[in-house]
Amino acid sequence: MSQPDLLQCVTGSSSSHLVELQNHRLHADIVTDFLALQQGAKRAGIELRIASSFRDFTRQSAIWNAKFKGLRPVYTLEQETVDLSALSDAEKCHAIMLYSALPGASRHHFGTDLDIYDTAAISDSYQLQLSPEEYSTSGPFARLTAWLDDNLEKYGFFRPYREYMGGVAPEPWHISHIAQSANMMQYLSIDTLQQRITESDLCGKKAILSELNSLYERYILNVNSPQ
């Protein structure tokens, strides 16, 4: 894939690198490794499924704007609801980015990052939350978490939000392809991001642009490395 294609992908204007797999869109170059991961999990009695994969700029913007307007809940690390009415626009940005990426900077734009769960651990009527409790030692996906701890990187994936580092909260359900996400990430410059946000209709755009250097360092670059 050429650099212009990557830049279009990061800014949400192209998805030519994506393929359909199991009703989700993934980066074409991660499919083989994902299928191997899925088969490895199956041998351990885990039915690994994708909850979310590629997400374009428009979709991420809808999530962001709904949270900024208070139409969707925003949570603290302790899973308590944040009272956004008491915050400045800059503070709202930080509160939202604990769990939701800034549009244009979401790793889901790449198609290399997936949210996963285990259908063998839940009933058909189960309402998936993608919450820390579900993946804890007492949650339904405890076995999945433990298996991923031991096997994820053998298949070429890692958890970018494995541990809290002062930016994004831990997300044990979020996995990323090591090689391809690094390849995509190198083109996500702050200048590219600034241009895309300037052209957008994001709520709090003035605050985002004012805080962009801080947000970029704290939430976008500040991720766990493969172990």
Side-chain angles (χ1 to χ4, degrees), residues 138-175:
S138 60
F141 305 131
R143 183 173 58 163
L144 171 62
T145 299
W147 187 85
L148 292 174
D149 287 343
D150 293 335
N151 295 279
L152 186 59
E153 293 188 22
K154 298 175 186 177
Y155 294 93
F157 293 87
F158 78 113
R159 291 192 189 98
Y161 310 122
R162 183 180 64 253
E163 299 173 356
Y164 183 59
M165 298 172 61
V168 178
E171 294 187 351
W173 53 85
H174 184 135
I175 66 171

Side-chain angles (χ1 to χ4, degrees), residues 29-220:
D29 293 337
I30 79 164
V31 170
T32 298
D33 286 344
F34 174 73
L35 290 174
L37 174 71
Q38 200 171 46
Q39 285 302 309
K42 187 177 183 65
R43 289 191 292 271
I46 295 167
E47 295 293 337
L48 192 152
R49 294 291 182 269
I50 303 170
S52 180
S53 55
F54 172 75
R55 191 180 304 141
D56 64 17
F57 185 90
T58 299
R59 176 58 183 149
Q60 194 67 29
S61 296
I63 295 170
W64 177 275
N65 287 343
K67 290 194 172 187
F68 205 93
K69 294 175 182 178
L71 301 177
R72 294 181 61 161
V74 175
Y75 296 105
T76 67
L77 279 173
E78 295 75 29
Q79 298 299 293
E80 296 176 351
T81 304
V82 178
D83 179 8
L84 293 182
S85 66
L87 304 182
S88 67
D89 281 359
E91 289 170 334
K92 289 180 184 178
C93 292
H94 285 278
I96 293 170
M97 289 184 71
L98 185 66
Y99 280 107
S100 293
L102 180 66
S106 172
R107 297 177 67 95
H108 283 284
H109 293 337
F110 300 159
T112 62
D113 286 53
L114 314 168
D115 297 335
I116 58 173
Y117 67 109
D118 175 17
T119 59
I122 53 176
S123 67
D124 292 342
S125 61
Y126 183 84
Q127 296 296 310
L128 183 67
Q129 301 296 316
L130 293 180
S131 67
E133 290 79 8
E134 289 176 308
Y135 295 78
S136 70
T137 54
S138 60
F141 305 131
R143 183 173 58 163
L144 171 62
T145 299
W147 187 85
L148 292 174
D149 287 343
D150 293 335
N151 295 279
L152 186 59
E153 293 188 22
K154 298 175 186 177
Y155 294 93
F157 293 87
F158 78 113
R159 291 192 189 98
Y161 310 122
R162 183 180 64 253
E163 299 173 356
Y164 183 59
M165 298 172 61
V168 178
E171 294 187 351
W173 53 85
H174 184 135
I175 66 171
S176 180
H177 192 270
I178 297 170
Q180 292 305 324
S181 66
N183 187 35
M184 301 293 274
M185 188 65 199
Q186 66 180 313
Y187 297 106
L188 182 51
S189 71
I190 194 166
D191 291 337
T192 299
L193 186 55
Q194 183 176 34
Q195 178 182 345
R196 187 66 182 92
I197 292 170
T198 299
E199 297 169 349
S200 75
D201 294 320
L202 290 180
C203 292
K205 182 166 71 174
K206 183 177 180 180
I208 294 170
L209 292 171
S210 176
E211 293 280 310
L212 192 57
N213 286 334
S214 172
L215 297 175
Y216 185 76
E217 291 288 336
R218 182 172 177 180
Y219 300 99
I220 301 166

